[in-house]
């Protein structure tokens, strides 16, 4: 098989109308598109073979942005003939390629999209600036490419690979977020549902970890609202749906933990020779999460959740809720938090602190959605949530380090690697003990 990657240059500038088209540079957004595009191109293998680019300024800037860290510069060529809007010129250029299994073209529309239409039975409708397309072709010489012989493997737009570009034109807040939650529960849940579904592609591709983080927030906010409703009124199927949301949230936990761990300990892990081990774990978890989100069970669960929250019965039931009802739930949760926190001591297991963290997270989500006048309390919530979250991270970091030490058994380069890991474990244990003392000293959350 052979692989053809098509990359459309980043967003270009029209600020200087005196410039001829070939001389137009990337604008600020075009430059912003490059880091994520480079990550995606590198991970998909688009930088592993022959790379051909138009010599237009916007294309050469895109080329430089995605190949900045490449060593094989002798495999990168700028071709004046690729400054074209005719796909037949691209086909002619490909026909001159010799024995290459992977070719990447950095160029322009409509030539790139028309080339895809020539090679694919079902081509995409559009190919925005800063996008990447992967076409798998039969193993034959490039000069004998046949019409509709390709298979579209991947199409990535900027909003699929960069969270910042995803939210550029999107309001992440619910339309009624300035109002008390009781007046718009179905709409708030529908907003979170749509946000989750829109974030799914970014989570599945895994090129920007922020997609997963925001997906988890939307999922947990939905669960926090649903739990509040279920605690106040009886809604058919709601309790089962809450358990389902919890199960899907747990499916994301291992990967998110690895993201946080690697980001916090990357230099120490690299020095100890352990970084590839954890990167491999993260890759495996990414594959599992991708399969989970693409499974029929997940899709059916999400469809059932949508039908529930948009049903006339659900809207009718929630209309009976008043702001004071949700305020009472919030106050009840804060009271429960204080009771649980007061029972903590030096001998309390980590699981008790984790349970407290989960409760506090639900308190914060509900406070953000309820919009009560509790600025001072919110500051305390955020501070304690930070402590509890950091404690959870340290707990997970230790578990992962122990796992590495156990899985590796007798480590290669025993002295350096084992000593480095043991030193890192000792440091994390000390940080965790200090944070536990801080949590025990400031446990109460006052109304």
């Amino acid at each position: 098989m052979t692989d053809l990657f098509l990359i459309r240059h980043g967003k270009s500038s029209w600020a200087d109308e005196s410039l001829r088209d070939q001389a137009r540079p990337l604008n600020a957004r075009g430059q912003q598109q490059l880091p994520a595009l480079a990550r995606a191109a590198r991970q998909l293998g688009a930088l592993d073979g022959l790379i051909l680019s138009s010599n237009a300024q916007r294309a050469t800037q895109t080329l430089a942005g995605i190949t900045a860290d490449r060593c094989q510069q002798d495999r990168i060529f700028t071709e004046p003939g690729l400054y074209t809007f005719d796909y037949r010129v691209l086909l002619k250029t490909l026909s001159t390629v010799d024995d290459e299994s992977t070719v990447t073209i950095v160029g322009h529309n409509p030539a790139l999209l028309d080339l895809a239409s020539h090679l694919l039975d079902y081509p995409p409708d559009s190919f925005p600036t800063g996008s990447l397309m992967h076409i798998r072709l039969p193993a034959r010489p490039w000069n004998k490419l046949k019409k509709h012989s390709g298979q579209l493997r991947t199409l990535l737009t900027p909003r699929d690979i960069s969270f910042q570009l995803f939210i550029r034109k999107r309001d992440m807040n619910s339309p009624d977020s300035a109002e008390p939650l009781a007046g718009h529960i179905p709409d708030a849940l529908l907003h979170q549902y749509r946000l989750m579904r829109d974030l799914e592609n970014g989570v599945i591709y895994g090129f920007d970890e922020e997609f997963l983080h925001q997906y988890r927030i939307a999922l947990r906010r939905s669960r926090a609202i649903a739990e509040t409703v279920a605690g106040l009124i009886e809604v058919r199927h709601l309790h089962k749906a809450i358990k389902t949301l919890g199960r899907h949230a747990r499916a994301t936990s291992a990967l998110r933990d690895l993201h946080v761990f690697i980001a916090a300990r990357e230099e120490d892990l690299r020095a100890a020779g352990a970084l590839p081990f954890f990167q491999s774990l993260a890759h495996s978890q990414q594959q599992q999460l991708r399969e989970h989100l693409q499974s029929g069970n997940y899709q059916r669960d999400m469809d059932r959740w949508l039908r529930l929250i948009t049903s006339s019965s659900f809207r009718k039931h929630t209309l009976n809720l008043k702001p004071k009802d949700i305020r009472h739930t919030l106050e009840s949760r804060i009271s429960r938090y204080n009771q649980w926190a007061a029972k903590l001591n030096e001998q309390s297991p980590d699981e008790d602190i984790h349970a407290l963290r989960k409760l506090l997270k639900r308190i914060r989500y509900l406070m953000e959605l309820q919009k009560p006048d509790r600025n001072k309390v919110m500051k305390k919530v955020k501070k304690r949530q930070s402590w509890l979250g950091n404690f959870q991270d340290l707990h997970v970091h230790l578990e992962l380090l122990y796992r590495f030490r156990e899985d590796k058994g007798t480590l290669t380069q025993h002295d350096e690697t084992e000593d480095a890991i043991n030193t890192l474990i000792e440091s994390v244990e000390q940080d965790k003990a200090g944070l536990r003392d801080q949590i025990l000293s400031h446990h109460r959350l006052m109304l």
Side-chain angles (χ1 to χ4, degrees):
M1 305 299 285
T2 53
D3 294 292
L4 175 63
F5 291 92
L6 306 179
I7 296 177
R8 188 179 175 194
H9 61 79
K11 192 73 173 177
S12 59
S13 173
W14 293 87
D16 187 347
E17 296 183 359
S18 67
L19 290 176
R20 57 194 177 91
D21 181 74
Q22 198 169 355
R24 287 193 294 108
L26 297 179
N27 63 13
R29 180 148 62 93
Q31 292 287 351
Q32 187 184 12
Q33 290 171 338
L34 297 184
L37 182 59
R39 287 196 302 273
R42 184 167 52 250
Q43 291 185 38
L44 291 176
L47 307 182
D48 293 344
L50 181 66
I51 303 175
L52 307 174
S53 173
S54 158
N55 69 341
Q57 177 76 353
R58 56 193 184 275
T60 57
Q61 285 183 314
T62 301
L63 175 68
I66 65 175
T67 62
D69 60 350
R70 268 183 65 90
C71 298
Q72 293 180 299
Q73 294 295 322
D74 60 333
R75 305 273 286 157
I76 302 172
F77 298 91
T78 300
E79 302 282 355
L82 293 181
Y83 172 65
T84 181
F85 308 108
D86 186 344
Y87 81 95
R88 290 167 294 188
V89 176
L90 302 184
L91 273 176
K92 185 175 180 180
T93 300
L94 287 172
S95 72
T96 66
V97 173
D98 292 326
D99 188 20
E100 295 284 350
S101 60
T102 301
V103 176
T104 297
I105 297 177
V106 181
H108 310 267
N109 263 0
L112 294 174
L113 187 56
D114 288 345
L115 176 60
S117 298
H118 176 80
L119 295 174
L120 299 170
D121 277 325
Y122 302 102
D125 295 328
S126 62
F127 193 41
T129 54
S131 296
L132 181 154
M133 191 186 310
H134 177 196
I135 298 174
R136 175 68 52 83
L137 296 159
R140 59 165 56 93
W142 289 95
N143 62 359
K144 294 184 179 179
L145 289 180
K146 292 185 177 180
K147 189 175 183 180
H148 297 167
S149 62
Q151 177 188 14
L152 180 62
R153 299 300 300 270
T154 307
L155 173 61
L156 298 175
T157 67
R159 59 180 279 117
D160 294 323
I161 56 180
S162 168
F163 180 74
Q164 286 303 313
L165 296 173
F166 169 84
I167 64 169
R168 191 177 66 86
K169 290 185 176 180
R170 184 190 181 99
D171 184 2
M172 298 289 284
N173 296 312
S174 174
D176 298 314
S177 59
E179 300 298 327
L181 176 63
H184 62 97
I185 286 175
D187 295 331
L189 287 173
L190 181 59
H191 170 79
Q192 297 300 326
Y193 168 85
R194 288 172 174 165
L195 180 57
M196 282 189 286
R197 301 316 302 259
D198 288 346
L199 287 164
E200 280 172 10
N201 271 351
V203 177
I204 289 169
Y205 291 128
F207 295 118
D208 188 335
E209 297 170 4
E210 190 63 20
F211 281 107
L212 177 59
H213 178 57
Q214 295 298 329
Y215 173 85
R216 282 164 57 84
I217 289 175
L219 189 53
R220 288 175 168 176
R221 279 182 174 156
S222 299
R223 189 180 177 195
I225 298 172
E227 287 176 334
T228 299
V229 174
L232 294 171
I233 55 177
E234 185 64 33
V235 179
R236 190 181 180 189
H237 302 309
L238 186 56
H239 287 285
K240 182 178 179 181
I242 291 170
K243 290 181 179 179
T244 300
L245 292 178
R247 177 163 52 83
H248 293 311
R250 287 191 296 275
T252 68
S253 296
L255 181 58
R256 181 60 182 170
D257 287 344
L258 282 163
H259 285 168
V260 173
F261 174 65
I262 292 172
R265 308 287 174 182
E266 185 170 0
E267 292 306 315
D268 291 329
L269 296 174
R270 181 179 285 110
L275 185 58
F277 174 85
F278 292 107
Q279 289 176 329
S280 177
L281 277 183
H283 178 73
S284 176
Q285 289 296 330
Q286 176 67 45
Q287 292 290 103
Q288 290 183 35
L289 181 57
R290 178 183 297 120
E291 292 173 3
H292 178 86
L293 294 181
Q294 292 177 332
S295 70
N297 285 337
Y298 173 79
Q299 298 300 328
R300 285 189 289 273
D301 287 343
M302 295 304 285
D303 289 344
R304 280 193 286 265
W305 176 243
L306 176 62
R307 288 196 297 271
L308 174 61
I309 64 178
T310 57
S311 67
S312 58
S313 174
F314 184 78
R315 183 172 291 274
K316 179 180 178 181
H317 279 93
T318 57
L319 283 176
N320 295 324
L321 292 177
K322 306 299 181 187
K324 66 177 183 179
D325 297 324
I326 298 179
R327 186 165 57 249
H328 174 75
T329 298
L330 181 58
E331 291 169 353
S332 175
R333 288 183 183 176
I334 293 175
S335 176
R336 194 188 327 158
Y337 172 92
N338 286 332
Q339 291 173 9
W340 288 8
K343 295 178 182 178
L344 292 178
N345 55 53
E346 289 78 3
Q347 285 73 45
S348 296
D350 288 357
E351 287 72 18
D352 288 354
I353 298 178
H354 300 339
L356 199 65
R357 175 186 62 85
K358 292 176 182 178
L359 177 57
L360 187 59
K361 187 169 289 189
R362 291 189 174 100
I363 288 171
R364 178 175 174 180
Y365 288 154
L366 196 54
M367 288 181 70
E368 289 174 343
L369 290 162
Q370 174 63 1
K371 300 296 179 183
D373 184 16
R374 299 176 185 274
N375 291 334
K376 292 182 180 179
V377 177
M378 180 61 84
K379 289 180 180 178
K380 290 182 179 182
V381 167
K382 290 180 178 179
K383 181 182 290 187
R384 282 155 181 75
Q385 189 178 3
S386 176
W387 292 344
L388 294 168
N390 290 339
F391 185 87
Q392 164 72 356
D393 289 343
L394 293 173
H395 172 89
V396 171
H397 294 184
L398 284 172
E399 285 191 331
L400 289 169
L401 290 169
Y402 295 150
R403 176 176 177 180
F404 173 79
R405 192 166 61 181
E406 292 170 4
D407 284 6
K408 288 302 179 181
T410 303
L411 298 168
T412 55
Q413 299 179 329
H414 175 82
D415 292 339
E416 297 88 350
T417 303
E418 186 169 24
D419 287 348
I421 291 297
N422 287 337
T423 299
L424 182 54
I425 287 174
E426 183 179 346
S427 174
V428 176
E429 286 176 338
Q430 290 175 354
D431 290 344
K432 183 182 166 194
L435 192 52
R436 175 187 280 268
D437 291 340
Q438 191 174 28
I439 291 170
L440 293 177
S441 300
H442 303 82
H443 60 272
R444 284 188 63 78
L445 183 63
M446 302 301 293
L447 286 172

